[in-house]
Amino acid sequence: MAAYPVDPGDPDPSYLSFWRERHLCTLTTPRADGSPHVVPVGVTYDPEARLARVIANKASRKVANVLAAGPEGARVAVCQVDGRRWATLEGRAFVRAERERVAEAERRYAERYERAPSPNPSRVVIEIELTRAMGKAVGKLPTTMPGQG
């Protein structure tokens, strides 16, 4: 079982397994006034590179929020929840438009979400350089309790 905190570069196997399951996630970025902008997204997690990736349209508000933070990157979080299991990754986000980076993000998205993203010539990737991880990602709970047939 993984529980708060988790090393984002060396997660517990159950934590990593949870991030490989198909789940909708949220991305939280800071607005200009400091308030949180929270939107649903698909996220992929690459602990070896200490990165989380979110594919996005370059005209989206989430991309604008990250770009507005400047060269230091935006402090962001991605999160997913499934019953009592939850996981959050935090770090500095940067918008990348390089074709090879976008292609890698699309490949990872297709692997996790079992479908290729629709073509989008305006696609970029938000790469989150991970600094913190937390969560509780025990295996799925059985549908019946032992001894209950």
Side-chain angles (χ1 to χ4, degrees), residues 3 14 62 134:
S14 65
K62 60 186 160 279
M134 61 186 120

PDB file of all heavy atoms in Angstrom, residues 3 14 62 134:
ATOM      1  N   ALA A   3       0.977   5.252   0.782  1.00  0.00           N
ATOM      2  CA  ALA A   3       0.237   6.269   1.527  1.00  0.00           C
ATOM      3  C   ALA A   3       1.079   7.531   1.569  1.00  0.00           C
ATOM      4  O   ALA A   3       2.283   7.484   1.367  1.00  0.00           O
ATOM      5  CB  ALA A   3      -0.078   5.770   2.933  1.00  0.00           C
ATOM      6  N   SER A  14       1.882  -0.352  -5.948  1.00  0.00           N
ATOM      7  CA  SER A  14       0.441  -0.137  -6.017  1.00  0.00           C
ATOM      8  C   SER A  14       0.114   1.292  -6.465  1.00  0.00           C
ATOM      9  O   SER A  14      -0.864   1.518  -7.179  1.00  0.00           O
ATOM     10  CB  SER A  14      -0.250  -0.460  -4.691  1.00  0.00           C
ATOM     11  OG  SER A  14       0.162   0.418  -3.677  1.00  0.00           O
ATOM     12  N   LYS A  62      -5.886  26.347 -19.524  1.00  0.00           N
ATOM     13  CA  LYS A  62      -4.855  25.700 -18.704  1.00  0.00           C
ATOM     14  C   LYS A  62      -3.462  26.002 -19.248  1.00  0.00           C
ATOM     15  O   LYS A  62      -2.525  26.251 -18.491  1.00  0.00           O
ATOM     16  CB  LYS A  62      -5.105  24.201 -18.557  1.00  0.00           C
ATOM     17  CG  LYS A  62      -5.138  23.405 -19.827  1.00  0.00           C
ATOM     18  CD  LYS A  62      -5.548  21.954 -19.532  1.00  0.00           C
ATOM     19  CE  LYS A  62      -6.049  21.261 -20.767  1.00  0.00           C
ATOM     20  NZ  LYS A  62      -7.445  21.586 -21.063  1.00  0.00           N
ATOM     21  N   MET A 134       1.695  12.152  -3.415  1.00  0.00           N
ATOM     22  CA  MET A 134       1.041  11.656  -2.210  1.00  0.00           C
ATOM     23  C   MET A 134      -0.187  10.869  -2.620  1.00  0.00           C
ATOM     24  O   MET A 134      -0.652  10.968  -3.755  1.00  0.00           O
ATOM     25  CB  MET A 134       0.668  12.792  -1.265  1.00  0.00           C
ATOM     26  CG  MET A 134      -0.296  13.787  -1.846  1.00  0.00           C
ATOM     27  SD  MET A 134      -0.533  15.181  -0.740  1.00  0.00           S
ATOM     28  CE  MET A 134       0.024  16.491  -1.791  1.00  0.00           C
TER      29      MET A 134
END
